Amino acid sequence: AQSVTQLGSHVSVSEGALVLLRCNYSSSVPPYLFWYVQYPNQGLQLLLKYTSAATLVKGINGFEAEFKKSETSFHLTKPSAHMSDAAEYFCAVSANFGNEKLTFGTGTRLTIIP
Amino acid sequence: KAGVTQTPRYLIKTRGQQVTLSCSPISGHRSVSWYQQTPGQGLQFLFEYFSETQRNKGNFPGRFSGRQFSNSRSEMNVSTLELGDSALYLCASSPGEGQFDEQFFGPGTRLTVL
C-alpha cells in the first residue's frame, strides 16, 4: 500500500522568501510522486511529477522537488514566494502500472505574507 | 484542447435523494477517475473507468456507483444521500494506456446534502 504524509497543514512565508512544503511517502514499490496545487473553488493542477527519470524535478511556476529515496521524501520548494502562490498544495503517490489511482496527502495551505 | 468539464458545478439535495454527476474528459482520453474531497477526509479515490469498464475501486459503500460511455464520458451516481456525502467531487481524465499518465482534473461538482 502507498501513502504520503504532509507535515504542516498550514505554512506561512513572506513574499520573496523560500517556500518549502514537506512530503514523505511510504510505498512497497518504487513510487510515482506528484505535487498538485488547488486554488479556491477550482480543481487540481499538476505542478510536477517524479517517475524515476531524474531525482530533481522541475515543474511549473518555478517550483521544483527532489526525490530522496534514503529519506523517503519528496519536498516541494520555490526559491522566492509570490503572492499568487497562495493556495493549497497536495502531495500524491501512485505505485501501480496501468492503474490511475492517486493517494493524496492531507494538503498544506500556503499563505504568503506581503 | 478543451479541458475536463463537470456538470453541474453546484448541486443541493436532501437526505435520501439520489444524484447523478457528469464528467466529460479531454478528447482522446479513455480513463476517467473520480475523487471525493471533504475537509475531514481530504481527497479520496472513488473509482476509475477505462474503456467503459471499472478498472479500480476505492473503499466507498455501494451507494456510490459509476459508469462510462463509449465516448468516454462518465457519470457517477450516489443513491440514498447522507449528510456526510456533502463534498466536492472531482473528475480526472488521462489517456489511460501508459505506465502512468498525468491526470487532468476538472473544476469539480460541489454537492450539498441538507
Side-chain angles (χ1 to χ4, degrees):
Chain A
Q2 299 75 238
S3 66
V4 291
T5 302
Q6 292 185 241
L7 297 175
S9 58
H10 291 86
V11 171
S12 296
V13 301
S14 298
E15 190 175 15
L18 171 72
V19 175
L20 171 61
L21 304 182
R22 300 177 186 274
C23 173
N24 288 88
Y25 70 90
S26 172
S27 178
S28 56
V29 297
Y32 294 119
L33 292 160
F34 307 81
W35 276 100
Y36 282 87
V37 61
Q38 186 177 35
Y39 298 100
N41 298 315
Q42 293 187 28
L44 301 173
Q45 181 182 10
L46 181 69
L47 281 175
L48 48 80
K49 62 182 178 182
Y50 167 76
T51 57
S52 78
T55 56
L56 182 62
V57 182
K58 294 186 183 299
I60 62 172
N61 301 341
F63 285 94
E64 63 181 39
E66 187 172 7
F67 174 73
K68 292 187 176 180
K69 186 177 178 180
S70 61
E71 300 177 8
T72 62
S73 69
F74 190 58
H75 302 331
L76 182 71
T77 60
K78 181 174 181 178
S80 177
H82 192 272
M83 294 301 294
S84 61
D85 295 327
E88 189 149 22
Y89 293 78
F90 294 91
C91 182
V93 64
S94 177
N96 298 315
F97 296 113
N99 181 325
E100 312 296 76
K101 174 184 175 182
L102 287 169
T103 300
F104 286 90
T106 51
T108 298
R109 184 168 299 279
L110 177 64
T111 300
I112 310 298
I113 304 167
Chain B
K1 217 180 223 185
V4 178
T5 58
Q6 293 187 246
T7 56
R9 289 293 310 278
Y10 301 90
L11 207 48
I12 299 175
K13 293 286 188 179
T14 57
R15 279 182 301 174
Q17 287 187 309
Q18 75 166 21
V19 67
T20 299
L21 312 181
S22 181
C23 172
S24 293
I26 291 172
S27 177
H29 285 189
R30 296 167 64 189
S31 169
V32 174
S33 299
W34 289 89
Y35 294 84
Q36 181 196 64
Q37 185 177 22
T38 60
Q41 299 298 318
L43 279 153
Q44 293 187 286
F45 174 79
L46 280 155
F47 30 64
E48 182 228 351
Y49 286 86
F50 177 78
S51 292
E52 301 179 67
T53 300
Q54 188 179 84
R55 190 161 66 172
N56 201 4
K57 188 177 187 302
N59 296 321
F60 278 81
R63 300 185 297 107
F64 292 82
S65 62
R67 60 178 175 169
Q68 187 180 35
F69 302 95
S70 58
N71 62 358
S72 293
R73 190 177 68 86
S74 177
E75 290 181 345
M76 68 163 281
N77 184 277
V78 188
S79 62
T80 320
L81 284 166
E82 300 177 359
L83 295 179
D85 297 333
S86 294
L88 180 66
Y89 290 88
L90 293 165
C91 163
S93 80
S94 68
E97 297 176 74
Q99 289 191 336
F100 191 90
D101 297 306
E102 176 183 342
Q103 291 191 34
F104 295 84
F105 283 80
T109 293
R110 185 163 296 281
L111 172 64
T112 302
V113 182
L114 303 176

